[in-house]
Amino acid sequence: MATEAAPMDEKAKRMRDLLSSFYAPDPSISTSGSSISASFDNINSTSFDADQYMDLMIKKSNLEVLLQRHVQMAAEIKNLDTDLQMLVYENYNKFISATDTIKRMKSNIFGMEGNMDQLLQKIMSVQSRSDGVNTSLFEKREHIEKLHRTRNLLRKVQFIYDLPARLQKCIKSETYGDAVRFYIGAMPILKVYGDTSFQDCRRASEEAIEIIIKNLQTKLFSDSESIQARAEAAVLLKQLDVPVDSLKDKLLEKLEQSLDGLQIKPEEASLLAEQNDSSNDAESNEQHPAKIHEDAVRGFSEAMRAYREIFPDSEERLFKLARALTAMHFENMDLYIRKRVSAADFLRIFRIIWEDVVLMDEVLPEAELSDLSAEAAQVTVKKFVARTFSHLEQDISDTILKFDINQKEAVEEEVLKVVLEASKKAGLQGTTDIFQDFRQLLDENIGIFVKMKDLIIGWIQNGFQDFFRSLEAQFLVLSGKTSSSKEIEGGLVEGKSSDKIHAGLILVLAQLSVFVEQKVIPRVSEEIAASFSGGNSQAFENGPAFIPGELCRVFHAASEKLLQHYIDTRTQKISVLLRKRFKTPNWVKHKEPREVHMYVDMFLHELEEVGKEVKQVLPQGTFRKHKRTDSNGSNTTTSSRSNTLHNDKMTRSNSQRARSQLFETHLAKLFKQKVEIFTKVEFTQESVVTTTVKLCLKSLQEYVRLQTFNRSGFQQIQLDIQFLKAPLKETVEDEAAIDFLLDEVIVAASERCLDVIPLEPPILDKLIQAKLAKSKEHNNNNNTVSS
Amino acid sequence: MQGGSSGIGYGLKYQARCISDVKADKDHTSFLTGTLSLKEENEVHLLRLSSGGSELLCEGLFSHPNEIWDLASCPFDQRIFSTVFSTGDSFGAAVWQIPEPYGQSNSSTLECVASLDAHVGKINCVLWCPSGKSDKLISMDEQNLVLWSLDSSKKSAEVLSKESAGMRHSLSGGAWNPHDLNSVAATSESSIQFWDLRTMKKVNSIERAHVRNVDYNLKREHILVSADDESGIHIWDLRKAKVPVQELPGHTHWTWAVRCNPEYEELILSVGTDSAVNLWFASASSEKKTSESPVEASRLRVNPLLNSYTDYEDSVYGLAWSSREPWIFASLSYDGRVVIESVKPFLPRR
């Protein structure tokens, strides 16, 4: 507005101001715009004082300006006058026209009331007339409505009367759906009036419905009908309030019964597997059991599919059925693999089961059959792996125990060797077979096996680990070393095997352990590395899988333990012999020696047996005369350097001949090199024999030390030992040690002798020769007898 | 397992088999040992460990009429001890008293308190009642078990009861149960027999052939340790004596004797004819491990052999823990060398 106001000419502006001041009751507002410069010289201001203005003018301006001002003022006044005149005129005009209008209005309103009255009258009459028409038509209308209702009723009655026929027609055309719809439509009426007016009708239609129900039921049960049709039938039956549940139960029961037929019975399983195989070979289309089974399962799953659609609410039961079947399958599988089963057979059965599961899973994906069966399959496969290993273990121990060894056979027919070879073979062959089997497992591409691959590898590795561990334990148990605890716990080991095992077998076991350590385990670890590696990453964080190093250590320890055990049992036997020898006679009252005592023969005989056994089983070692190293920690050297005290004593009492001799032996010992008695046993024939001899001689020495001898007793010992010298040296690796030990025995005897006078060498010689001759004769006799 | 020569040695003149801790000597760690010589004059040595523990001093040297096969110190009087001796063709057993003041004269004669002369056969050992107060004694020969009552002031011993074990069981030694003073374990050819002293009847036995030595664990009741010729050391729980609780491998040759430590229940010492003394740690927990499979147990078990002292020249027969300083033991090898060792480095941390 302000911008527009600017160009507005002075005149117009003032006009407006004036008008506004005229109309506006409050001058302050109207003049706010123009009276900014309100002062004395502003004519337009309300506070304009003409006299003052004049005085100011006169004072300020000269004449000319005053004149000019006058002229100007006069013109303005004139202008104002005309403006006012114009204003008045215009306003007057308007007033006149207004008065005219009012005058006209006044004349127009006059006479309107009469028209209004007329209108009211007319409307009143219209209303009364319409009322009249209404009342006159009312009756007719009611009548019409009544008629209409009656007609509907009649139509319904008609429908009900027609119902039986209609139903019949439907039955004929098999449109059971319509029939049921009709019947249900008629139901309310039939229910109310069925006993009175429509009795016949009702009976007829019920009969018809009966037929329909029957038809529907047969339809439902008939397998030839399409599932859709059967489902519809079921729905219709349900609509007809027929107890469908009992039907369902009946059907499902039938299904359940059919489960039995679907079982793979353990006894049939092998048949299944075999025949499957043969028919595959022949490529014939015969109905072999596997095929039959497959068809049966297919039928079963089809039926399930059908029932599922027919009875949507029966899902749970079907799930249960399917699960039961799966579980049953795996249970049977479990029974089946309790017997010895090859991997191929196992897989074949497994495949069949898996196919069944897949079939059922297609029908009932919600039953989570695959999960269930995956779990069961895991368990089964794991069991299978474990069983395979236990079979192998059984095999090996059977091989070992198969040979009924008695003393003679062992020595004469090299049975030990046979056993060793057989069990070696069993071990190697067994592991090879196992690998083959497991490779089959891994190669299997059934879905579940692919998923389980890692797990299987883990199981196999673990299985091997456990297998070797338990094999080691088994060895120890077989050897009779750790039988005691086990016997108490489970009575697993029969008394026979643990009680009295042939000593030779212990040796075989020892050697077998070496074989396992050196051959079997490396091979197994190679195989595992080659085809069963990996897979243990997720499944076996906690339990380590196959650790060949540890197993090697275990078997190494076992082999040493067993070898030691062998030596122990052997020396024990000899020890008993020696004990008897030394406990029985009264050595203080011994008679003069006349011949070499026969315990020496028995001793040598035992050693000979050891030698024979060892020869069969152990390898020959590189021959070494002396062994001064290799002593294991807890063993020690036994040399006797007599201490000074001893020497003092000896020198002091040097009177007797025997004393001096004793002293000499002591002195000799002093200068002899320390001879190791208890060296580490090695897996060689010589080492074992030597160790046995050493231990026995040490025992001999100890027994001697416990006795007191008279002269003859001492001489007897001297004679026996002298006789032993030659044959022992023949059999033994470490001559020095044997010499030393034999000397020790004599020293011990002399120390424990009341009256040491050794036999003269000629007499010794004579007695020994006599003994040799006698034993030769004996041998000859034996030979002649045997030949 | 080095055969370190940390031990303190002492040489006897002759060969010897037995050494005994002088339990009644509360002020010193002392041992009694006797020689075994058929022809020479035998001696009994009273040895005392110097206060610094660095020297083994001969505190007394007494002559003994015959060679000594067994020696046991009286648990309540340090001057009294018993011996089993042999004259060559016969055996005898006697209780001796060391003359007072001992240690002054070099070779004073022993006073014979009592002669246990109720035996005819080979006497094996004399056992003192372990209670430490009772004056009861048991002497054992191959067939008989004799219970004596000793009156040291009157210098007499009286047979309280005597029982024959029968000809077939030749007894070889035994141990008196420190937890039940009425029970004595005796080793025989085929078993360990347990005798009730009240009735003098055999009440129980563990079938085990050729047990050479047994010892009761002083700290743990029902625990007995046995040593065999061939199969090492077995630890038995007498409540279920069918199967040993634990087996220790023993020695390369015979294990001659075993002794449980009087203070540290897990420590067991054994000596053997392979000229070694082995210190074993038989953990108490192994008792509960029996239910596990043998494989598992053997895997878990650490080597029970703590140390093997091998610095001996001949078979070791004598062994005794010191009851005063239970980390010290004395061993005696056949050549007459006494070695005192300390097992302090192997003591279980408590």
Side-chain angles (χ1 to χ4, degrees):
Chain A
M1 277 297 208
T3 44
E4 274 171 43
M8 217 183 257
D9 57 314
E10 192 72 6
K11 191 182 154 190
K13 196 181 164 201
R14 208 174 62 212
M15 270 294 290
R16 209 181 55 188
D17 285 347
L18 284 173
L19 282 171
S20 66
S21 68
F22 178 77
Y23 284 109
D26 187 2
S28 64
I29 295 167
S30 62
T31 54
S32 62
S34 53
S35 61
I36 297 165
S37 52
S39 60
F40 307 109
D41 58 342
N42 194 347
I43 298 172
N44 293 335
S45 129
T46 43
S47 54
F48 179 69
D49 189 346
D51 293 333
Q52 220 171 349
Y53 184 73
M54 265 311 288
D55 284 349
L56 214 65
M57 265 314 223
I58 292 164
K59 270 177 201 163
K60 255 182 180 171
S61 331
N62 51 11
L63 185 63
E64 203 173 344
V65 174
L66 281 173
L67 279 176
Q68 242 174 8
R69 186 79 190 146
H70 170 75
V71 171
Q72 194 188 343
M73 198 93 87
E76 276 179 16
I77 288 167
K78 216 180 201 173
N79 266 348
L80 274 173
D81 269 352
T82 51
D83 281 355
L84 277 174
Q85 268 174 13
M86 280 291 287
L87 210 59
V88 167
Y89 180 73
E90 271 171 21
N91 283 345
Y92 188 69
N93 245 5
K94 276 175 193 162
F95 178 70
I96 289 169
S97 68
T99 359
D100 281 356
T101 313
I102 289 165
K103 254 183 206 160
R104 234 182 300 135
M105 276 168 69
K106 223 178 198 170
S107 65
N108 278 352
I109 282 171
F110 193 75
M112 194 143 34
E113 204 169 334
N115 288 344
M116 279 298 174
D117 286 346
Q118 238 174 4
L119 188 65
L120 188 66
Q121 270 174 12
K122 273 173 189 168
I123 285 170
M124 293 282 265
S125 74
V126 167
Q127 199 190 354
S128 64
R129 271 190 204 150
S130 114
D131 282 352
V133 170
N134 250 356
T135 46
S136 63
L137 283 180
F138 182 72
E139 267 176 51
K140 274 177 189 167
R141 201 164 54 216
E142 258 185 3
H143 191 62
I144 286 168
E145 274 171 11
K146 215 191 232 163
L147 281 178
H148 184 72
R149 257 178 274 152
T150 320
R151 185 179 163 250
N152 275 354
L153 203 62
L154 280 174
R155 207 191 265 161
K156 274 184 198 163
V157 170
Q158 175 75 35
F159 174 78
I160 286 164
Y161 273 115
D162 283 352
L163 190 61
R166 226 185 261 235
L167 290 178
Q168 289 297 344
K169 213 189 277 167
C170 285
I171 290 167
K172 246 173 227 164
S173 64
E174 294 197 338
T175 49
Y176 298 118
D178 293 341
V180 171
R181 208 172 61 234
F182 295 148
Y183 181 71
I184 287 169
M187 270 308 270
I189 299 169
L190 284 179
K191 233 176 225 165
V192 180
Y193 305 106
D195 297 335
T196 52
S197 345
F198 302 115
Q199 218 162 354
D200 293 344
C201 227
R202 188 186 172 192
R203 204 177 307 124
S205 56
E206 270 173 0
E207 273 163 17
I209 283 298
E210 254 346 59
I211 295 168
I212 287 173
I213 288 172
K214 217 173 278 165
N215 283 354
L216 282 174
Q217 278 178 355
T218 47
K219 202 172 176 185
L220 192 60
F221 279 110
S222 77
D223 294 332
S224 56
E225 288 292 333
S226 75
I227 293 159
Q228 191 66 32
R230 289 165 75 183
E232 272 170 14
V235 170
L236 290 178
L237 281 174
K238 221 186 268 175
Q239 279 177 2
L240 285 175
D241 278 348
V242 180
V244 198
D245 284 348
S246 68
L247 283 178
K248 182 174 81 181
D249 288 350
K250 232 183 271 166
L251 281 170
L252 289 175
E253 260 162 41
K254 232 167 78 188
L255 204 59
E256 258 177 46
Q257 280 161 10
S258 70
L259 272 186
D260 277 342
L262 293 175
Q263 277 193 47
I264 303 172
K265 298 216 174 62
E267 51 270 27
E268 290 164 11
S270 52
L271 200 73
L272 208 61
E274 276 164 37
Q275 294 215 349
N276 193 3
D277 200 27
S278 66
S279 66
N280 274 354
D281 290 346
E283 290 189 353
S284 65
N285 283 332
E286 276 172 41
Q287 287 281 310
H288 47 77
K291 179 90 176 125
I292 293 170
H293 176 77
E294 196 194 319
D295 288 349
V297 174
R298 203 174 287 279
F300 177 70
S301 65
E302 281 305 314
M304 282 211 297
R305 188 200 302 278
Y307 295 152
R308 189 173 174 212
E309 288 196 12
I310 297 165
F311 309 113
D313 54 338
S314 68
E315 262 184 353
E316 273 308 314
R317 244 181 112 180
L318 287 175
F319 289 170
K320 231 181 259 169
L321 274 182
R323 281 197 197 120
L325 181 61
T326 318
M328 212 145 63
H329 270 347
F330 282 105
E331 264 166 40
N332 285 331
M333 185 82 162
D334 200 35
L335 287 174
Y336 176 54
I337 59 172
R338 248 175 228 169
K339 290 180 290 175
R340 189 171 291 224
V341 179
S342 79
D345 284 352
F346 172 74
L347 280 177
R348 236 169 262 134
I349 303 291
F350 206 98
R351 225 173 283 153
I352 291 169
I353 290 177
W354 187 245
E355 273 163 18
D356 293 356
V357 169
V358 168
L359 271 176
M360 285 189 286
D361 195 41
E362 271 170 21
V363 178
L364 299 171
E366 295 93 338
E368 290 164 345
L369 279 183
S370 54
D371 286 356
L372 178 78
S373 60
E375 269 168 40
Q378 280 192 7
V379 173
T380 314
V381 173
K382 197 169 179 181
K383 270 187 193 153
F384 176 70
V385 171
R387 292 242 162 83
T388 316
F389 279 117
S390 69
H391 284 317
L392 178 59
E393 193 184 322
Q394 193 61 42
D395 272 356
I396 291 175
S397 57
D398 280 353
T399 319
I400 295 168
L401 289 178
K402 193 166 58 188
F403 297 89
D404 187 22
I405 306 165
N406 55 41
Q407 207 78 0
K408 272 177 195 161
E409 269 180 285
V411 179
E412 281 161 21
E413 295 169 26
E414 304 217 312
V415 173
L416 291 184
K417 196 166 187 173
V418 176
V419 173
L420 178 65
E421 290 309 319
S423 38
K424 268 185 184 175
K425 215 172 121 194
L428 265 188
Q429 193 59 43
T431 43
T432 317
D433 289 351
I434 271 195
F435 272 120
Q436 246 165 23
D437 279 5
F438 289 151
R439 214 164 280 139
Q440 276 181 5
L441 280 189
L442 282 191
D443 290 346
E444 186 57 54
N445 49 10
I446 305 176
I448 191 149
F449 272 93
V450 177
K451 260 186 260 164
M452 286 196 298
K453 197 164 176 176
D454 281 354
L455 280 176
I456 292 176
I457 287 171
W459 290 330
I460 289 171
Q461 293 197 2
N462 245 23
F464 267 110
Q465 185 82 3
D466 293 346
F467 161 68
F468 281 119
R469 279 196 174 291
S470 68
L471 189 64
E472 188 244 5
Q474 176 87 356
F475 278 1
L476 290 182
V477 168
L478 279 179
S479 74
K481 216 171 146 65
T482 54
S483 62
S484 45
S485 61
K486 235 189 182 168
E487 255 173 73
I488 294 297
E489 275 163 30
L492 290 170
V493 192
E494 314 99 79
K496 175 191 130 213
S497 61
S498 65
D499 250 9
K500 198 76 183 169
I501 186 171
H502 188 263
L505 269 191
I506 301 173
L507 194 61
V508 170
L509 287 171
Q511 184 60 19
L512 203 57
S513 301
V514 173
F515 177 73
V516 169
E517 180 208 342
Q518 289 173 354
K519 290 270 156 56
V520 179
I521 292 177
R523 215 176 112 188
V524 166
S525 64
E526 247 171 58
E527 288 272 2
I528 281 185
S531 37
F532 299 97
S533 57
N536 48 354
S537 48
Q538 340 79 312
F540 292 94
E541 293 110 338
N542 29 6
F546 185 66
I547 311 165
E550 188 196 329
L551 289 176
C552 277
R553 268 201 306 285
V554 165
F555 270 89
H556 191 77
S559 63
E560 280 179 356
K561 229 185 273 175
L562 287 166
L563 192 62
Q564 195 58 51
H565 187 50
Y566 171 73
I567 291 170
D568 283 352
T569 42
R570 274 306 180 184
T571 48
Q572 221 161 318
K573 225 168 155 189
I574 297 170
S575 181
V576 169
L577 196 79
L578 294 175
R579 180 193 298 269
K580 264 190 203 136
R581 163 65 182 146
F582 281 95
K583 281 269 163 87
T584 29
N586 188 345
W587 288 96
V588 185
K589 290 172 184 157
H590 203 273
K591 287 191 191 111
E592 215 167 286
R594 267 177 290 169
E595 53 172 9
V596 178
H597 195 271
M598 59 175 263
Y599 84 92
V600 175
D601 288 336
M602 289 156 83
F603 178 40
L604 285 176
H605 177 73
E606 287 288 333
L607 280 183
E608 199 183 339
E609 222 167 75
V610 172
K612 273 179 185 161
E613 282 175 7
V614 160
K615 211 168 276 171
Q616 288 180 49
V617 176
L618 292 179
Q620 200 154 16
T622 48
F623 194 75
R624 269 180 293 178
K625 266 290 187 193
H626 292 267
K627 231 153 37 70
R628 301 222 167 72
T629 49
D630 284 1
S631 81
N632 79 19
S634 67
N635 301 339
T636 185
T637 57
T638 299
S639 88
S640 287
R641 272 172 273 148
S642 46
N643 56 24
T644 44
L645 264 176
H646 219 124
N647 275 349
D648 283 347
K649 165 200 134 187
M650 285 303 166
T651 40
R652 255 191 324 191
S653 53
N654 205 5
S655 54
Q656 279 178 337
R657 185 164 141 242
R659 290 267 166 76
S660 72
Q661 198 188 26
L662 188 62
F663 174 58
E664 272 163 32
T665 39
H666 273 276
L667 260 190
K669 267 202 285 179
L670 190 64
F671 294 111
K672 242 183 216 169
Q673 257 178 313
K674 265 194 168 186
V675 180
E676 305 244 346
I677 296 178
F678 303 110
T679 49
K680 192 174 161 65
V681 191
E682 282 166 30
F683 274 86
T684 60
Q685 298 169 8
E686 291 81 8
S687 173
V688 172
V689 174
T690 309
T691 312
T692 314
V693 171
K694 279 179 185 169
L695 286 174
C696 291
L697 289 179
K698 181 70 188 167
S699 303
L700 188 61
Q701 182 198 3
E702 293 297 336
Y703 281 125
V704 166
R705 279 182 177 178
L706 285 171
Q707 302 298 333
T708 312
F709 303 92
N710 65 0
R711 183 200 304 167
S712 305
F714 168 69
Q715 286 175 351
Q716 180 72 57
I717 300 291
Q718 192 196 1
L719 175 62
D720 294 348
I721 297 302
Q722 189 64 34
F723 179 78
L724 271 177
K725 227 168 215 175
L728 282 188
K729 275 191 189 170
E730 264 172 42
T731 52
V732 156
E733 184 182 20
D734 189 355
E735 276 183 38
I738 300 302
D739 259 342
F740 169 75
L741 278 166
L742 288 170
D743 284 349
E744 280 284 279
V745 176
I746 294 187
V747 169
S750 69
E751 280 167 358
R752 297 297 311 155
C753 180
L754 293 163
D755 180 17
V756 184
I757 298 173
L759 275 179
E760 296 297 334
I763 303 173
L764 256 182
D765 240 26
K766 207 178 108 197
L767 285 170
I768 287 169
Q769 287 309 322
K771 174 76 180 173
L772 281 174
K774 198 178 165 191
S775 63
K776 204 182 249 172
E777 195 184 319
H778 185 69
N779 271 353
N780 283 344
N781 278 352
N782 263 8
N783 285 345
T784 48
V785 167
S786 62
S787 63
Chain B
M1 280 193 251
Q2 72 290 345
S5 54
S6 59
I8 308 154
Y10 177 85
L12 299 178
K13 246 188 201 169
Y14 313 119
Q15 290 170 335
R17 276 183 182 269
C18 41
I19 190 162
S20 171
D21 170 46
V22 183
K23 211 173 157 189
D25 188 352
K26 303 286 181 207
D27 307 322
H28 307 94
T29 302
S30 319
F31 296 97
L32 265 176
T33 175
T35 61
L36 180 84
S37 172
L38 259 182
K39 294 148 223 163
E40 311 296 332
E41 198 178 346
N42 284 285
E43 293 163 345
V44 171
H45 289 238
L46 176 63
L47 305 174
R48 181 173 291 170
L49 196 63
S50 67
S51 54
S54 57
E55 264 183 296
L56 194 59
L57 304 169
C58 179
E59 199 67 18
L61 180 66
F62 316 100
S63 63
H64 185 273
N66 298 102
E67 57 170 7
I68 299 167
W69 282 88
D70 181 58
L71 187 149
S73 173
C74 173
F76 54 86
D77 188 338
Q78 52 174 309
R79 285 170 55 216
I80 293 179
F81 66 95
S82 68
T83 59
V84 172
F85 51 87
S86 158
T87 59
D89 49 3
S90 67
F91 276 85
V95 179
W96 307 89
Q97 185 165 29
I98 295 167
E100 203 154 9
Y102 60 87
Q104 302 288 315
S105 55
N106 202 19
S107 187
S108 39
T109 40
L110 292 167
E111 251 178 274
C112 182
V113 176
S115 177
L116 310 175
D117 47 5
H119 296 278
V120 278
K122 184 186 173 200
I123 305 173
N124 294 308
C125 62
V126 172
L127 305 173
W128 290 87
C129 179
S131 72
K133 295 180 282 288
S134 165
D135 48 5
K136 296 241 169 55
L137 277 173
I138 289 174
S139 62
M140 232 183 258
D141 65 26
E142 283 186 320
Q143 267 92 45
N144 299 301
L145 204 68
V146 183
L147 182 64
W148 301 84
S149 171
L150 179 75
D151 192 335
S152 52
S153 55
K154 280 189 199 155
K155 304 213 168 176
S156 68
E158 202 183 322
V159 177
L160 286 180
S161 49
K162 178 175 175 177
E163 185 60 42
S164 168
M167 285 294 281
R168 279 182 301 121
H169 312 272
S170 77
L171 301 177
S172 60
W176 202 320
N177 189 341
H179 304 286
D180 176 7
L181 297 178
N182 290 314
S183 171
V184 164
T187 58
S188 81
E189 198 131 273
S190 58
S191 61
I192 305 170
Q193 305 176 348
F194 297 94
W195 290 79
D196 192 321
L197 296 177
R198 290 165 295 195
T199 58
M200 282 307 251
K201 289 271 177 294
K202 196 172 85 174
V203 286
N204 196 8
S205 68
I206 297 173
E207 293 304 318
R208 187 94 208 160
H210 312 316
V211 175
R212 213 162 258 296
N213 196 247
V214 288
D215 192 26
Y216 280 98
N217 192 323
L218 272 170
K219 286 283 155 184
R220 283 158 71 200
E221 213 179 335
H222 307 299
I223 298 295
L224 180 77
V225 182
S226 73
D228 285 328
D229 275 3
E230 276 87 12
S231 38
I233 299 162
H234 292 88
I235 301 171
W236 306 87
D237 187 327
L238 299 181
R239 289 163 295 187
K240 34 187 181 178
K242 284 244 156 46
V243 193
V245 176
Q246 199 180 349
E247 290 180 38
L248 301 171
H251 290 256
T252 322
H253 197 236
W254 299 350
T255 308
W256 194 269
V258 278
R259 289 287 177 271
C260 297
N261 190 292
E263 190 60 43
Y264 305 96
E265 59 183 54
E266 296 97 344
L267 291 184
I268 294 173
L269 265 180
S270 67
V271 295
T273 49
D274 59 352
S275 316
V277 177
N278 287 349
L279 177 66
W280 306 93
F281 184 84
S283 62
S285 61
S286 68
E287 205 177 339
K288 293 154 202 154
K289 254 187 243 165
T290 42
S291 58
E292 281 172 57
S293 69
V295 189
E296 197 71 16
S298 68
R299 200 187 324 165
L300 290 175
R301 197 174 296 156
V302 283
N303 189 5
L305 182 66
L306 287 180
N307 193 24
S308 187
Y309 304 90
T310 58
D311 198 24
Y312 300 90
E313 302 282 348
D314 207 334
S315 306
V316 188
Y317 299 122
L319 176 67
W321 285 102
S322 160
S323 49
R324 193 175 156 263
E325 290 176 280
W327 52 89
I328 281 175
F329 70 88
S331 54
L332 175 63
S333 58
Y334 192 56
D335 54 10
R337 217 161 80 84
V338 178
V339 178
I340 306 281
E341 298 262 10
S342 166
V343 298
K344 255 190 183 153
F346 307 103
L347 285 184
R349 266 177 236 111
R350 298 205 158 187

